[in-house]
């Protein structure tokens, strides 16, 4: 169940359709009841064209993107994101990632790699999210030498 | 804009004094870490990671903040200082909030049954910033999330919000248009004249009395029949007022509204154009012009006979 991780590796993109359901389900699952994440009328009154995804959902999706890719041994250590263009309903966000740096630790039994991955989530109007994720994964012992 | 975020950055200096103060002390998660909330989260995110299922489940690390959320019933443990800080921003018109940054470090997995507590400190308040959304201040907090009987650190969560006064929406402003005249059977002839750049005065065919504005019958003799006389266009300002307030759409106060006595003897209300409002005076000789205001509206107006300095 382990695989190698190399700096420069590109993660396959993940397309996420931004539905109203995703925005609302994500907001409620993260216990964020700010009206701009579920009530289009109030969102418009506050100057937004529609409801938009909350940061906790973006955070969750970025985490999922990384653990989906690195598999069951992946353990998230750090997720740092910055939001830009909002995710409005009807848009699609495409997450892409690049492994920037890998450090390995090996003992007699196991080897782990800690990877720093740059993540970008682009939607129809720009970059919704840019971030850095640090993740630890099991790798084949001595495999990356 | 006094009192708004553009006024001065005295507010910014005041906000700075909140740096380092607690935003939440010994806040308690509303629920212990639990499988239903984990499952709802995973369903929303489309996350099928087996690590988040079953008897040995851990919570998705990115749920860290969710365990500290106040939900509809509000936050526990929030400090008076943080409420004050947000209140000052609200008072300054920075009533909108958007989260811009979230930086989480995960120290220890949270598992079902873990009771969550948290402490939050106001790490920094930015100077006043103008963004696409509006003008406001970035407020950064750092929360230490602890769990379990030993209150061990589970993770830290740095969160940055922009609290701002929304910028006016840059929707293309439709040019306000002057009110339309109400045209009816009694005055249609007048407006037909205006269309042809002719100012028509009604004349009673019975007693030859001129009348303006147009009416169904003669005020002098009561006869109903009439014809028209085209005004020469010469006149004088008989009286006037200067409109300062209230402003109406399509009008730009102050402006003079004049009662012009036409050479023919009747009086009409109109505008004197091309003369500053404070140079319009009683007795000012004026002559008629037809001014187009938009693709549908032409109005008779008056201009001073001679340049008025």
């Amino acid at each position: 169940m382990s695989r190698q991780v190399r700096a420069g590796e590109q993660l396959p993109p993940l397309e996420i359709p931004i539905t109203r359901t995703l925005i609302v389900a994500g907001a409620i699952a993260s216990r964020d009841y700010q009206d701009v994440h579920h009530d289009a009328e109030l969102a418009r009154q506050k100057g937004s064209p529609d409801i938009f995804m909350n940061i906790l959902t973006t955070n969750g999706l970025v985490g999922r993107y990384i653990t989906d890719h690195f598999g069951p041994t992946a353990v998230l250590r750090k997720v740092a994101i910055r939001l830009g263009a909002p995710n409005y309903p009807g848009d699609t966000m495409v997450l892409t990632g690049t492994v920037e740096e890998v450090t390995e630790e090996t003992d007699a039994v196991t080897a782990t790699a800690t990877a720093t991955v740059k993540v970008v989530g682009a939607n129809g109007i720009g970059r919704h999210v840019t971030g850095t994720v640090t993740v630890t994964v099991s790798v084949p012992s001595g495999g990356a030498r | 804009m006094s009192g708004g975020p553009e006024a001065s950055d005295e507010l910014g200096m005041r906000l700075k004094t909140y740096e380092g103060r607690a935003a939440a002390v010994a806040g308690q998660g509303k629920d212990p870490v639990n499988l239903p909330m984990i499952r709802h989260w995973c369903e929303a995110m489309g996350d099928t990671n087996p690590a988040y299922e079953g008897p040995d489940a851990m919570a998705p690390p990115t749920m860290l903040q969710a365990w500290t959320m106040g939900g509809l019933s509000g936050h526990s443990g929030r400090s008076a200082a943080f409420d004050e800080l947000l209140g000052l921003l609200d008072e300054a018109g920075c009533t909108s909030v958007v989260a811009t940054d979230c930086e989480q470090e995960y120290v220890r997995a949270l598992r079902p049954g873990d009771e969550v507590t948290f402490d939050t400190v106001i790490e920094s308040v930015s100077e006043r910033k103008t963004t696409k959304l509006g003008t406001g201040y970035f407020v950064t907090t750092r929360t230490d999330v602890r769990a379990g009987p030993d209150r061990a650190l589970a993770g830290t969560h740095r969160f940055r919000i922009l609290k701002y006064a929304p910028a006016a929406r840059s929707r293309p402003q439709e040019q306000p248009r002057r009110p339309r005249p109400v045209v009816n059977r009694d005055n249609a002839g007048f407006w037909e004249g205006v269309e042809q750049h002719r100012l028509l005065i009604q004349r009673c065919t019975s007693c030859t009395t001129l009348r303006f504005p147009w009416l169904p019958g003669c005020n002098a003799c009561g006869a109903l029949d009439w014809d028209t006389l085209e005004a020469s266009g010469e006149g004088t300002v008989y009286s006037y007022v200067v409109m300062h307030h209230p402003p109406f759409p399509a009008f730009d106060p102050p402006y003079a509204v004049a009662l012009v006595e036409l050479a023919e003897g009747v009086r009409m209300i109109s505008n004197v154009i091309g003369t500053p409002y404070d140079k319009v005076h009683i007795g000012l000789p004026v002559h008629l012009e037809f001014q187009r205001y938009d693709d549908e509206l032409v109005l008779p107006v008056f201009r001073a006979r001679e340049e008025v300095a």
Side-chain angles (χ1 to χ4, degrees):
Chain A
M1 292 296 278
S2 58
R3 53 192 298 288
Q4 290 175 18
V5 184
R6 290 205 176 87
E9 181 183 339
Q10 306 271 328
L11 278 60
L14 174 64
E15 270 192 28
I16 297 174
I18 309 302
T19 62
R20 225 164 261 283
T21 303
L22 171 60
I23 293 168
V24 174
I28 302 309
S30 57
R31 294 184 47 71
D32 183 347
Y33 293 89
Q34 293 282 332
D35 50 30
V36 290
H37 305 310
H38 65 261
D39 188 325
E41 200 171 314
L42 293 179
R44 277 192 284 274
Q45 279 176 23
K46 292 184 175 168
S48 174
D50 206 332
I51 62 167
F52 55 92
M53 183 176 283
N54 71 339
I55 194 167
L56 290 89
T57 301
T58 304
N59 204 43
L61 292 172
V62 168
R64 171 198 152 193
Y65 177 53
I66 298 301
T67 52
D68 275 2
H69 176 72
F70 289 102
T73 69
V75 178
L76 294 174
R77 302 295 182 193
K78 193 175 171 183
V79 176
I81 60 169
R82 168 163 293 182
L83 296 193
N87 269 342
Y88 294 119
D91 208 339
T92 300
M93 176 171 71
V94 181
L95 287 166
T96 52
T98 309
V99 178
E100 293 256 299
E101 200 185 329
V102 180
T103 55
E104 290 196 17
E105 275 180 44
T106 312
D107 60 28
V109 195
T110 59
T112 58
T114 299
T116 307
V117 187
K118 285 269 181 212
V119 176
V120 175
N123 62 23
I125 51 175
R127 285 186 168 190
H128 168 67
V129 58
T130 50
T132 307
V133 179
T134 307
V135 60
T136 302
V137 292
S138 296
V139 290
S141 206
R145 297 294 141 122
Chain B
M1 290 298 277
S2 73
E6 301 288 355
S8 80
D9 218 15
E10 266 171 54
L11 173 64
M13 288 160 70
R14 198 157 162 211
L15 298 174
K16 278 264 175 212
T17 64
Y18 287 84
E19 287 184 351
R21 297 177 70 178
V25 179
Q28 298 224 320
K30 297 257 165 169
D31 296 286
V33 177
N34 63 85
L35 283 172
M37 280 175 65
I38 293 172
R39 190 170 56 75
H40 295 163
W41 173 280
C42 290
E43 281 184 5
M45 303 302 158
D47 198 331
T48 55
N49 191 337
Y52 309 146
E53 292 170 11
D56 300 325
M58 62 181 269
T62 50
M63 275 188 87
L64 188 70
Q65 185 187 4
W67 305 114
T68 70
M69 293 290 279
L72 287 174
S73 53
H75 285 274
S76 80
R78 189 138 112 181
S79 73
F82 196 52
D83 283 337
E84 270 171 43
L85 172 67
L86 299 180
L88 283 172
L89 285 160
D90 281 335
E91 278 168 33
C94 298
T95 51
S96 290
V97 63
V98 65
T100 59
D101 294 79
C102 173
E103 298 169 22
Q104 299 182 333
E105 280 188 63
Y106 313 112
V107 178
R108 208 185 74 168
L110 289 169
R111 295 188 186 276
D114 281 343
E115 297 275 358
V116 168
T117 59
F118 57 96
D119 297 279
T120 303
V121 64
I122 301 162
E123 211 174 53
S124 65
V125 183
S126 76
E127 288 160 16
R128 184 175 60 219
K129 300 279 185 187
T130 298
T131 73
K132 254 192 266 178
L133 291 170
T135 297
Y137 297 82
F138 288 94
V139 178
T140 306
T141 55
R142 195 192 69 242
T143 301
D144 288 340
V145 180
R146 298 172 186 278
D150 53 347
R151 297 272 177 265
L153 187 68
T156 60
H157 166 65
R158 181 176 284 116
F159 201 61
R160 187 166 301 126
I161 60 170
L162 172 65
K163 194 134 170 67
Y164 66 100
R169 294 194 64 183
S170 57
R171 147 187 336 152
Q173 278 279 312
E174 259 197 35
Q175 200 63 24
R177 308 208 309 167
R178 285 212 170 208
R180 307 290 100 174
V182 177
V183 181
N184 56 36
R185 277 192 300 179
D186 293 328
N187 67 12
F190 170 77
W191 291 107
E192 282 161 21
V194 169
E195 253 173 52
Q196 299 157 25
H197 289 202
R198 299 171 71 214
L199 181 63
L200 298 178
I201 303 165
Q202 254 181 331
R203 179 172 52 193
C204 176
T205 49
S206 181
C207 72
T208 72
T209 304
L210 297 176
R211 60 177 190 259
F212 196 93
W214 284 38
L215 291 166
C218 178
N219 277 335
C221 73
L224 296 178
D225 293 329
W226 52 271
D227 64 5
T228 59
L229 173 73
E230 183 176 351
S232 66
E234 299 308 312
T236 52
V237 173
Y238 183 81
S239 183
Y240 70 99
V241 293
V242 175
M243 267 303 286
H244 292 271
H245 190 80
F248 296 102
F251 292 84
D252 186 20
Y255 54 91
V257 178
L259 181 63
V260 174
E261 186 167 276
L262 300 180
E264 291 75 13
V266 295
R267 296 176 193 147
M268 71 176 284
I269 290 173
S270 183
N271 290 122
V272 176
I273 62 164
T275 301
Y277 69 91
D278 55 352
K279 301 291 186 211
V280 174
H281 60 88
I282 290 170
L284 181 71
V286 291
H287 70 275
L288 174 70
E289 268 186 28
F290 288 89
Q291 169 113 338
R292 174 166 290 283
Y293 287 95
D294 55 54
D295 52 359
E296 296 174 344
L297 187 66
V298 173
L299 292 177
V301 296
F302 292 85
R303 189 183 287 276
R305 258 276 160 233
E306 282 156 34
E307 196 78 5
V308 181

